[in-house]
Amino acid sequence: MEIIFMGTASAAGSIERDNTYLLLRSGEARWLIDVGGNPLGKLKQSRTPLDHIQGVILTHMHTDHMYGLASLLWGMWVGGRRAALTIHCSSAGGEQLRAILKAYQVESWPIGFELRIETFDWEKENVLLHESGLELSTFPSLHAIPTVGIKAVTAEGKVMIYSADTRPNERIVQEPRIDLLIHEATKARGVMTSHTSLEDVIRYCPVERIGQVYCVHLTDDEPYLEVLEQYRNQVQGAEKVRLAEDMLLISL
């Protein structure tokens, strides 16, 4: 399984980063987790043909996590896609998603391929797919609106957890095995009501028993490097915590 960080910025935007979203590749499976503002360009950079994308998983319906969806669909239409595309979102966001697609007049392009909108109960854990040696599931996050984190398990049993937007989440702490944790860190320090700071990622998450930790949803001009240096010798495993960059590829 490979994860490409398509974007790593918070909702505030960034000089150099796209808003946070991920591309997951495993065997023949290609899934976008959220869709930032430049999916067509980033997919070209990753050398991923649009026809290879099976679907999109939306963690929640905040604009910075899904505003690139219309651009993605437009590019697929222009490129002549014919295969169906699945979009997973919470049942709380399904009506909003359909309204957005209607506002963009997707059906009148005409789009030329089937859009399958699959909704799930965000308050429960859900297995979205189990194929190509990969299981993808969701679990509730702790954010301002209905939001889910993502768990990916490979055929070899390796586990990736993506927190999505959340304050510190006990569900992640309780996970018995995490080979790769991708966690939001909207600020460098302090306690946040619906997000997590880098300081809290290090102090709250069991970083000593996690294989790799990469932080996303980053905000420009925050003293992240100061925090990493501060905790490097104070918390066991803190040296494994890194800041992700756009187009960084991680293999599990």
Side-chain angles (χ1 to χ4, degrees):
M1 178 173 67
E2 295 178 334
I3 300 291
I4 299 178
F5 295 87
M6 306 291 273
T8 54
S10 69
S14 172
I15 296 171
E16 297 180 345
R17 304 170 184 269
D18 200 357
N19 291 115
T20 294
Y21 64 118
L22 310 172
L23 173 64
L24 189 151
R25 305 193 301 204
S26 178
E28 297 300 315
R30 302 287 187 274
W31 286 85
L32 284 168
I33 301 175
D34 292 333
V35 192
N38 184 25
L40 302 177
K42 290 297 181 68
L43 287 169
K44 286 184 177 181
Q45 288 182 48
S46 71
R47 301 186 183 280
T48 303
L50 293 175
D51 281 349
H52 289 192
I53 301 297
Q54 293 172 255
V56 176
I57 302 170
L58 296 175
T59 63
H60 62 298
M61 299 301 290
H62 274 161
T63 301
D64 57 309
H65 289 263
M66 49 87 65
Y67 72 111
L69 180 60
S71 175
L72 177 70
L73 297 178
W74 184 267
M76 288 177 169
W77 170 60
V78 170
R81 183 188 177 103
R82 290 293 179 263
L85 184 80
T86 301
I87 304 175
H88 291 283
C89 74
S90 74
S91 53
E95 183 177 345
Q96 181 182 349
L97 175 59
R98 291 184 178 90
I100 289 170
L101 296 176
K102 183 177 180 180
Y104 276 104
Q105 300 180 335
V106 170
E107 292 183 355
S108 69
W109 291 348
I111 193 168
F113 57 90
E114 180 185 1
L115 273 181
R116 299 171 180 168
I117 298 176
E118 302 284 349
T119 61
F120 54 82
D121 183 349
W122 73 277
E123 295 180 290
K124 299 179 180 179
E125 301 206 4
N126 306 270
V127 176
L128 301 184
L129 68 106
H130 196 166
E131 61 185 30
S132 300
L134 174 70
E135 181 178 282
L136 284 178
S137 58
T138 69
F139 59 88
S141 289
L142 306 175
H143 192 38
I145 65 171
T147 304
V148 295
I150 304 294
K151 178 179 178 179
V153 183
T154 69
E156 299 77 23
K158 292 188 176 181
V159 177
M160 183 278 289
I161 296 289
Y162 171 45
S163 69
D165 287 11
T166 187
R167 62 181 183 271
N169 190 346
E170 182 66 22
R171 168 62 183 79
I172 295 174
V173 173
Q174 292 175 350
E175 187 68 39
R177 172 177 179 171
I178 304 177
D179 296 282
L180 172 62
L181 174 62
I182 300 171
H183 205 293
E184 73 122 300
T186 302
K187 296 282 188 180
R189 302 183 189 276
V191 176
M192 308 182 71
T193 58
S194 57
H195 288 283
T196 307
S197 68
L198 175 59
E199 194 171 47
D200 272 348
V201 172
I202 296 171
R203 295 188 303 190
Y204 188 82
C205 295
V207 293
E208 74 282 355
R209 60 177 176 83
I210 297 173
Q212 303 176 77
V213 183
Y214 280 89
C215 292
V216 294
H217 213 260
L218 304 171
T219 303
D220 286 353
D221 302 321
E222 283 287 311
Y224 292 114
L225 296 180
E226 291 180 14
V227 171
L228 290 176
E229 184 63 30
Q230 174 187 345
Y231 284 95
R232 191 175 304 277
N233 297 319
Q234 295 183 22
V235 176
Q236 183 181 357
E239 72 281 355
K240 294 184 288 186
V241 181
R242 299 174 175 86
L243 305 180
E245 299 286 347
D246 285 21
M247 302 310 298
L248 174 67
L249 184 151
I250 302 293
S251 297
L252 278 185

